[in-house]
Amino acid sequence: MDYAAIDQISRADYPNNNLKDIQYGTAGFRMRAELIPHVVYRMAILSILRSKFFNGAAIGLMITASHNEEPDNGIKIVDPAGEMLEADWEKIATEFARVPDSELIEKIKEIIREKNIDENAPALIVIGRDTRESGVSLSQAAIKPIEFMKAVVKDFGVITTPQLHYLVVCINTKELYGVATIEGYFDKLSSAFKKSQTVEDKIVKKLNYKNEVYVDAANGVGAFAAEKFKEQLNNFLNINVFNNGDGKLNYKCGADFVKIHQAPPLNNPSKPYLKCASIDGDADRLVYYYVDEKNEFNLFDGDKIAILIVSYLKELIEASGLSIKLGLVQTAYANGASTNYVTEILKVPVAFTKTGVKHLHHRAQQFDIGVYFEANGHGTAIIKDEIVKMIREFVSDKNVSSQQRCAMTELSNFIDIINQAVGDALSDMLLVETILYAKDWDIVTWKQCYSDFPNKQLKVKVVDRNIIKTTDAERKCTSPIGLQDKIDQLVSQYPKGRSFVRPSGTEDIIRVYIECQNQMDVDKLAAQVALAVHEYAGGVGEKPIVP
Ligand code: G16
């Protein structure tokens, strides 16, 4: 390893901006793009060490700030199984990003020592970035340390976050999971999707299902991916992409905007009852919606998508007669009505974790088939290898009934449409379409499953968001003293009221969630809790006004 060169480039081109409080947050580091170059340079160094730690397994580096505003950027590390970086290494990442320039080399040596890394082991880094302009120079920063650390880089340029996760898994499974190219990604998902609609028993005329979807691509990288699927799924699914890059990234569009504002994005097609989907800036979140003839907005967020998937899987598992443990993982943001529906109507167990795909993913791995979704539209399903094997064997077992075989064939195809590495807006869209097709549902029928409790999400700006500490899967806050008591007292005035607050791990704000039995209560309680946060946690700017 050429320590002198690493040190020299660091000091000359990527000096530490002295950002003492930066940390590896919900999805890596995120901040204004001009502040992050040294963090990217350092994370590339750390990824190489991580790859050497695994004796050359591919490690992913994604340069994206996802749903954040265009001027932000960020970086996250993807582990060899396509999962988010292990918690223990997140801590190292935070320390490593903060260390002064003069101690950088010593810190690298310390990590090597403590993690018992062979400096001469091979290393492979897979890099991707979203469409942010700042991503061009940032990916250069990520490539810089490669030659001084005897590593190999595969730079895929502008790709979606889920594509990066997919590529990492493909490389590390020696392509058992799929071909390790972007073409391989499209081919795998498209052919599985087409196959699911050409299974013999399923070719019956559809009376309600409409094979057309309008995709709000948030003016981000997902637009390219959606266009590519449009090309490949010709005749099977008509994809009409809007907010396809002509406008500002994530500005009044995309999954986060649609979910938080509970309103359609800019440029929404004006016809009522169109089946629409919104994805976010790096295409790892999905929500569906439609606007009816009275101009009323109807949202299908992560909870509704999760329920569609869980109910479909449950039907297939029951029809197959196999014993497969199915479960759902949600966070505190899940609408109470969705949790009730899954536990009471579907009778499927629900587990809760903190916000962050990494937490949900790990919990979902404890089920044979674990579906996980955040209400904001992040999610997927993961299936244990031995269960996949059992399902595939079952399909070719001559002793099973045709009904059982049919169910398992459907399930087997469905598995191939899932991007198990991480929540993937476009893979999830194909899952939703597959289910709606199988059930012959239009979007209004899907809506009738259950009704959400009225809810709202607000953002409150405070001097230091780290003042808020939480416990119990983020449903209670332990600091600042008195805030939780105040929230409890406010909530107790509203029948079926629920509220929690937590610091965002991706934006410099506090998130406030409220749920009540009617919208008037929601609006009032939301303002009251926001005001409490402002008062107890050092709010910045004008105080929220309680109606
Ligand atoms: C990231 C994470 C998600 C999380 C979201 C918001 O999403 O991957 O798990 O829900 O941030 O997190 P927070 O509430 O902490 O700001 P994305 O789409 O921004 O990468």
Side-chain angles (χ1 to χ4, degrees):
M1 234 179 282
D2 187 344
Y3 288 113
I6 297 169
D7 193 29
Q8 195 232 322
I9 301 277
S10 156
R11 289 173 197 255
D13 299 337
Y14 304 110
N16 187 343
N17 285 324
N18 212 11
L19 304 166
K20 294 203 172 56
D21 60 348
I22 58 168
Q23 63 191 46
Y24 201 97
T26 315
F29 294 95
R30 278 198 201 164
M31 59 195 81
R32 284 295 188 225
E34 62 274 17
L35 298 175
I36 208 172
H38 77 287
V39 180
V40 173
Y41 178 72
R42 290 171 179 214
M43 287 311 109
I45 296 174
L46 192 69
S47 304
I48 295 169
L49 296 179
R50 182 99 175 122
S51 178
K52 286 179 188 281
F53 175 76
F54 287 112
N55 198 26
I59 296 287
L61 260 186
M62 185 71 197
I63 299 166
T64 178
S66 186
H67 75 275
N68 294 45
E69 303 172 322
E70 151 82 36
D72 284 359
N73 215 326
I75 183 147
K76 68 173 177 182
I77 301 176
V78 176
D79 258 355
E83 296 171 5
M84 303 293 184
L85 181 64
E86 193 185 293
D88 179 30
W89 278 70
E90 282 191 4
K91 276 197 216 116
I92 299 175
T94 298
E95 284 167 23
F96 194 54
R98 289 180 184 180
V99 95
D101 294 326
S102 56
E103 292 168 27
L104 185 73
I105 300 301
E106 197 34 58
K107 189 73 193 168
I108 295 176
K109 290 182 179 166
E110 184 189 310
I111 298 170
I112 289 176
R113 243 184 350 260
E114 284 183 2
K115 291 291 172 188
N116 203 10
I117 294 167
D118 174 4
E119 273 193 40
N120 296 314
L124 172 59
I125 307 300
V126 184
I127 300 181
R129 64 182 158 92
D130 69 20
T131 52
R132 286 174 167 83
E133 235 179 274
S134 55
V136 179
S137 59
L138 290 176
S139 61
Q140 288 309 313
I143 289 167
K144 271 282 160 60
I146 306 282
E147 58 173 305
F148 309 124
M149 297 181 73
K150 297 203 188 92
V152 174
V153 63
K154 284 183 193 254
D155 182 5
F156 283 89
V158 175
I159 53 174
T160 69
T161 293
Q163 284 172 340
L164 181 90
H165 286 255
Y166 165 88
L167 290 164
V168 169
V169 182
C170 291
I171 293 170
N172 289 331
T173 58
K174 306 222 168 356
E175 299 203 327
L176 265 180
Y177 185 68
V179 178
T181 60
I182 292 301
E183 285 307 315
Y185 165 88
F186 285 114
D187 288 347
K188 181 179 175 185
L189 297 189
S190 301
S191 44
F193 180 74
K194 289 188 208 165
K195 204 166 158 201
S196 73
Q197 296 195 2
T198 42
V199 175
E200 241 172 78
D201 318 44
K202 289 273 134 192
I203 311 175
V204 281
K205 194 165 162 37
K206 300 293 167 183
L207 300 174
N208 306 305
Y209 174 74
K210 289 189 189 62
N211 68 343
E212 181 175 59
V213 61
Y214 287 76
V215 178
D216 155 28
N219 290 315
V221 56
F224 305 134
E227 291 288 358
K228 184 78 186 168
F229 276 120
K230 173 184 175 148
E231 208 181 288
Q232 297 212 340
L233 299 177
N234 197 10
N235 290 332
F236 284 84
L237 182 63
N238 298 316
I239 302 175
N240 305 286
V241 189
F242 67 104
N243 294 329
N244 60 359
D246 290 345
K248 224 161 120 185
L249 178 70
N250 295 328
Y251 178 69
K252 294 195 174 174
C253 60
D256 195 59
F257 173 86
V258 168
K259 165 70 180 158
I260 289 188
H261 293 85
Q262 306 196 8
L266 276 184
N267 306 316
N268 194 49
S270 52
K271 235 170 113 189
Y273 293 106
L274 290 181
K275 185 169 54 180
C276 301
S278 269
I279 64 181
D280 69 339
D282 63 340
D284 61 358
R285 294 191 201 186
L286 171 76
V287 298
Y288 266 70
Y289 64 88
Y290 72 90
V291 179
D292 66 18
E293 82 281 4
K294 292 188 211 122
N295 222 11
E296 250 171 50
F297 179 74
N298 297 272
L299 179 68
F300 300 80
D301 61 3
D303 299 340
K304 286 235 162 65
I305 294 172
I307 282 173
L308 189 72
I309 295 175
V310 167
S311 65
Y312 177 68
L313 288 172
K314 186 172 185 242
E315 279 167 25
L316 293 181
I317 292 169
E318 279 178 0
S320 76
L322 288 177
S323 160
I324 295 176
K325 209 169 111 210
L326 173 68
L328 173 66
V329 186
Q330 298 187 309
T331 71
Y333 290 107
N335 195 280
S338 76
T339 313
N340 291 350
Y341 185 83
V342 179
T343 50
E344 287 161 24
I345 310 290
L346 297 180
K347 309 235 178 287
V348 168
V350 179
F352 282 88
T353 69
K354 289 188 346 185
T355 298
V357 169
K358 54 196 173 194
H359 304 297
L360 288 100
H361 191 96
H362 286 141
R363 182 62 186 86
Q365 284 171 327
Q366 292 173 24
F367 297 107
D368 290 341
I369 300 184
V371 178
Y372 69 85
F373 262 89
E374 293 183 303
N376 63 19
H378 268 287
T380 187
I382 43 183
I383 303 106
K384 283 192 173 143
D385 287 347
E386 60 265 32
I387 298 294
V388 176
K389 193 165 167 266
M390 179 174 86
I391 292 167
R392 309 273 202 231
E393 282 170 5
F394 197 76
V395 170
S396 46
D397 184 343
K398 296 205 171 54
N399 299 319
V400 300
S401 72
S402 68
Q403 189 215 355
Q404 286 175 308
R405 181 170 307 108
C406 185
M408 279 301 105
T409 308
E410 217 174 315
L411 184 52
S412 174
N413 287 336
F414 192 71
I415 289 170
D416 286 335
I417 311 173
I418 302 171
N419 185 345
Q420 292 195 52
V422 77
D424 179 337
L426 291 151
S427 150
D428 288 343
M429 183 178 87
L430 300 185
L431 296 178
V432 168
E433 294 299 326
T434 300
I435 300 171
L436 296 180
Y437 175 87
K439 289 179 181 281
D440 192 15
W441 277 6
D442 61 12
I443 194 136
V444 179
T445 316
W446 180 13
K447 164 92 177 139
Q448 284 155 4
C449 278
Y450 73 90
S451 298
D452 272 334
F453 296 143
N455 64 91
K456 193 172 205 162
Q457 239 196 81
L458 292 176
K459 300 178 186 185
V460 180
K461 187 113 183 89
V462 295
V463 180
D464 174 11
R465 67 184 144 140
N466 294 317
I467 190 173
I468 298 220
K469 307 260 182 274
T470 63
T471 182
D472 185 18
E474 299 176 318
R475 289 175 285 204
K476 296 263 172 241
C477 78
T478 50
S479 156
I481 303 290
L483 178 57
Q484 187 59 49
D485 290 342
K486 180 71 186 170
I487 294 172
D488 290 343
Q489 180 243 320
L490 291 168
V491 169
S492 69
Q493 295 163 20
Y494 296 85
K496 299 210 171 129
R498 184 166 80 87
S499 177
F500 66 89
V501 302
R502 56 173 283 277
S504 161
T506 59
E507 296 174 59
D508 192 12
I509 44 124
I510 303 298
R511 296 198 195 280
V512 174
Y513 179 82
I514 303 93
E515 198 175 284
C516 290
Q517 64 181 7
N518 63 59
Q519 198 57 48
M520 238 166 61
D521 285 1
V522 165
D523 292 340
K524 192 153 179 223
L525 181 58
Q528 288 174 322
V529 176
L531 180 62
V533 171
H534 201 280
E535 285 173 347
Y536 282 78
V540 171
E542 278 179 28
K543 287 189 175 184
I545 298 166
V546 178

